[in-house]
Amino acid sequence: MGVARLVLAGLAVLAFVALIVVGVLSLVGALDPDPESVTLPPPPTSSPADVTPMAVAPTGPTASAAAPASGRVPTVLVQCERDRCPMVFLKVVGGDVLLNREMVKDEQVQSFDAKIDVVLADSTAVRVQVNGAVRPPGESGERQEFTVSRDG
C-alpha cells in the first residue's frame, strides 16, 4: 500500500503543477495579448436598427455622413479622425452600453435611440454629430462627457 499512496501523491502534485502552469500562461496571455489575434465582438445593441457601427471611406469636412439611405438622422454619430482614437463610450440612458472601446481611423458608430450618454477620452480625436449638427471639439486631449437627446 505504500507504493499506491506515493503514486497517488505524485499524481496530485503533477496535477497541481499543471494547474499552476496553465494559470500562469493564461495570465500572461491576458496581460499581453497579441493585438493581431484579438478580435473585438460587435457592441451589444438593443436592436440592430438602433446602432450601426461601420467603416467608411474618408469624408471631407463638408461631406454629410449623418443621413443614411433611410433618410433618418441619427441622434448621435461619432467618427474617428485619427489612426487610433482613445476610448469612446456610448450608452443608452437607462439601458445598454452601445460602445466602450477605442476606434480606428474612419470608423463610425451611430445611434437612433432617444437619449444617449457619450464619454470621449479625447474630444479632438473624433468628429461628433448630434441630430445632424457637428458638435465642436474641445481642447486637445480634453475628456468630455455629455448626454444627447433626439430632436423631434
Side-chain angles (χ1 to χ4, degrees):
M1 285 241 176
V3 175
R5 286 184 185 174
L6 286 175
V7 169
L8 188 58
L11 287 175
V13 169
L14 213 64
F16 183 71
V17 170
L19 283 173
I20 290 175
V21 168
V22 168
V24 168
L25 291 176
S26 295
L27 183 60
V28 168
L31 294 177
D32 188 27
D34 180 15
E36 301 203 6
S37 69
V38 175
T39 57
L40 296 173
T45 61
S46 51
S47 83
D50 289 340
V51 177
T52 312
M54 63 185 110
V56 296
T59 57
T62 59
S64 173
S70 66
R72 290 179 41 193
V73 175
T75 308
V76 66
L77 182 139
V78 179
Q79 179 179 0
C80 178
E81 294 189 326
R82 295 187 184 161
D83 289 336
R84 295 196 75 87
C85 295
M87 191 61 63
V88 175
F89 178 82
L90 298 176
K91 178 185 178 293
V92 176
V93 173
D96 294 332
V97 173
L98 305 174
L99 183 73
N100 186 18
R101 63 179 172 85
E102 293 181 347
M103 296 174 70
V104 295
K105 184 152 180 77
D106 295 326
E107 180 180 4
Q108 290 184 347
V109 64
Q110 62 186 7
S111 175
F112 295 89
D113 290 293
K115 229 176 174 183
I116 300 123
D117 288 328
V118 180
V119 180
L120 307 170
D122 182 357
S123 63
T124 59
V126 295
R127 179 173 180 249
V128 179
Q129 291 184 9
V130 177
N131 296 309
V134 175
R135 179 184 167 94
E139 298 294 319
S140 181
E142 178 185 359
R143 181 176 192 266
Q144 287 189 348
E145 298 180 33
F146 52 93
T147 301
V148 296
S149 298
R150 183 115 187 107
D151 285 346

